[in-house]
Amino acid sequence: MVATSIFHGLGLLVIGRSLRALDRGKRDAELSPLSVTGAAYICAVVLGLLALSGLEIWFYAFVYLAIGAASPLADAVYFSTITYAAIGFSDSSLAAPWHLVGAIEGINGVLLLGWSVAFLVSELQRLRHR
C-alpha cells in the first residue's frame, strides 16, 4: 500500500506539473473546458490517470506472482484489476494464505481511485475558474 500510494502521489505530481507546463501562455478562451484545447487537456488528464492506475494494477499483479499467490500472469492481472476497482467477483483465484493481501489491494484501490477523481475534479475547476 505504501509503495502504490507514494507512486500515485508522484504520478499525480508529474501529471499536474506537465499540464501546468502545457497551459503556460494560453489565453483563458483557449483553455475553456468547452474548447478543443480544453477538451484535449482533460482527455490528457484522464489518460494519465488511467495509465497511473494501470501501472498500479500491474504492480500488484507482479506482487501476486512473486509471492506465489496467483498464476499465470493473466490471472494475476485479472484478479488485480477487479480487486483494485473494488468489483471483487471472487478471491478464489488467489491462494488462501494471501486473501488478506487481496482485500488490502481493494481498500488501496478505492482510496487511490478516489484520489484520482479528486484530482480530475480539481483540474476541471481550475479550467473553469481561470
Side-chain angles (χ1 to χ4, degrees), residues 28-91:
D28 289 346
E30 290 177 310
L31 273 181
S32 162
L34 300 176
S35 70
V36 173
T37 306
Y41 184 92
I42 294 303
C43 285
V45 172
V46 170
L47 290 174
L49 295 174
L50 286 172
L52 191 56
S53 293
L55 290 172
E56 292 158 357
I57 288 167
W58 278 83
F59 171 79
Y60 269 107
F62 284 120
V63 166
Y64 293 136
L65 285 175
I67 64 176
S71 182
L73 178 61
D75 288 347
V77 171
Y78 175 74
F79 177 78
S80 182
T81 303
I82 63 171
T83 303
Y84 184 92
I87 298 169
F89 292 129
S90 170
D91 59 4

Side-chain angles (χ1 to χ4, degrees), residues 100-118:
L100 185 58
V101 176
I104 290 169
E105 180 189 0
I107 293 166
N108 188 219
V110 167
L111 290 172
L112 297 179
L113 289 172
W115 194 3
S116 292
V117 169

